[in-house]
């Protein structure tokens, strides 16, 4: 069964018998999965902002980077919240065509990097198995770790964004036990569901602030001034 958001990522690459993995997806693809609760507020904002920031840096939709989202209690087929759409529009990101979906095993299996809104979401993803522990982080945790990685130790973009992205995830996982959060709230993005637009904007700012250095590290291209 094809999930409602299947194929809505950034670039899908060519698929051949030699290129495909056992799950039927190209080896030269790097899939990022954003996870929140309902998949109508935080993870849609994060998904579409990631795509927007990648486009800004690479000038295209990212080629082999595929960016998706799902919810641990996902509202299957639901549109994102209107306030989330407004926030995305204010960042210049595209909210069109989004449909919520429930987090499934196949989403975790296919993901090369899972970024969650909270530590509870991270725990839920890891509890699903599929060797997800080394590639699952909260968004803010991943950013904290990425900031500590010397970009010179990562493969250059000339080696391909997939090679660089996989090396970044390995480096972040290796740092996890050494670089701890200053407090329990530091790795959380709170749920704005049902809140006024002003709170959605503050959450959007938090997500953007966390995503910016992560996307820079993934692509090797800093934000445009």
């Amino acid at each position: 069964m094809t999930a409602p958001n299947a194929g809505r990522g950034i670039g899908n690459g060519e698929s051949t018998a030699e290129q495909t993995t056992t799950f039927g997806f190209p080896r030269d693809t790097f899939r990022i999965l954003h996870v929140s609760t309902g998949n109508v507020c935080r993870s849609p904002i994060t998904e579409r902002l990631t795509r927007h920031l990648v486009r800004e840096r690479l000038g295209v939709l990212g080629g082999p980077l595929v960016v998706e989202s799902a919810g641990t209690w996902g509202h299957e087929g639901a549109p994102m919240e209107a306030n989330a759409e407004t926030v995305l529009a204010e960042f210049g990101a595209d909210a069109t065509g989004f449909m919520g979906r429930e987090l499934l095993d196949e989403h975790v299996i296919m993901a090369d990097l899972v970024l969650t809104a909270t530590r509870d979401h991270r725990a839920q993803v890891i509890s699903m198995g599929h060797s997800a522990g080394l590639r699952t982080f909260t968004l803010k945790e991943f950013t904290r770790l990425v900031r500590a990685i010397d970009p010179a130790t990562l493969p250059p973009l000339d080696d391909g964004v997939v090679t660089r992205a996989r090396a970044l995830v390995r480096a972040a996982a290796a740092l996890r036990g050494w670089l701890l959060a200053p407090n329990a709230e530091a790795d959380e993005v709170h749920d704005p569901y049902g809140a006024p637009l002003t709170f959605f904007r503050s959450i959007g700012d938090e997500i953007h602030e966390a995503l910016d250095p992560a996307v820079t590290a993934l692509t090797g291209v800093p934000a445009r001034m």
Side-chain angles (χ1 to χ4, degrees):
M1 181 180 71
T2 301
N5 279 7
R8 62 177 183 174
I10 298 177
N12 293 305
E14 294 183 0
S15 178
T16 67
E18 292 74 25
Q19 290 175 316
T20 54
T21 69
T22 54
F23 304 116
F25 285 86
R27 289 192 177 97
D28 59 356
T29 295
F30 186 88
R31 304 180 77 91
I32 302 171
L33 176 68
H34 293 293
V35 175
S36 62
T37 303
N39 195 213
V40 292
C41 297
R42 289 168 291 181
S43 50
I45 291 174
T46 316
E47 174 197 320
R48 295 307 175 96
L49 264 183
T50 302
R51 297 170 69 171
H52 177 67
L53 294 174
V54 169
R55 187 203 298 264
E56 282 188 331
R57 284 158 174 76
L58 299 182
V60 294
L61 286 181
L65 287 180
V66 178
V67 184
E68 303 171 304
S69 63
T72 55
W73 290 86
H75 301 296
E76 192 77 27
M80 74 174 75
E81 285 289 293
N83 283 343
E85 289 192 9
T86 299
V87 167
L88 284 171
E90 291 173 350
F91 279 110
D94 183 11
T96 60
F98 182 87
M99 289 188 294
R101 60 182 191 171
E102 183 179 355
L103 180 67
L104 303 176
D105 288 83
E106 66 192 65
H107 302 146
V108 177
I109 290 169
M110 294 185 297
D112 296 286
L113 172 62
V114 184
L115 296 176
T116 69
T118 69
R119 291 169 298 156
D120 283 346
H121 296 132
R122 182 184 63 194
Q124 289 179 66
V125 171
I126 293 172
S127 73
M128 295 171 72
H130 316 302
S131 303
L134 291 178
R135 52 195 166 90
T136 303
F137 310 80
T138 74
L139 171 62
K140 289 185 176 181
E141 174 192 22
F142 187 68
T143 299
R144 184 178 69 255
L145 298 172
V146 161
R147 288 184 186 275
I149 296 169
D150 182 355
T153 64
L154 298 172
L157 192 56
D158 288 347
D159 289 354
V161 68
V162 170
T163 299
R164 183 182 177 89
R166 288 178 178 158
L168 182 67
V169 172
R170 290 194 298 270
L175 280 175
R176 194 190 326 240
W178 298 92
L179 191 62
L180 303 178
N183 55 67
E185 290 294 304
D187 288 340
E188 305 285 293
V189 176
H190 294 292
D191 192 355
Y193 185 77
L197 180 57
T198 51
F199 188 66
F200 267 84
R201 284 181 173 137
S202 70
I203 293 300
D205 288 341
E206 279 186 42
I207 291 171
H208 183 271
E209 183 178 350
L211 274 178
D212 191 76
V215 173
T216 295
L218 281 166
T219 62
V221 181
R224 295 176 183 176
M225 299 302 293

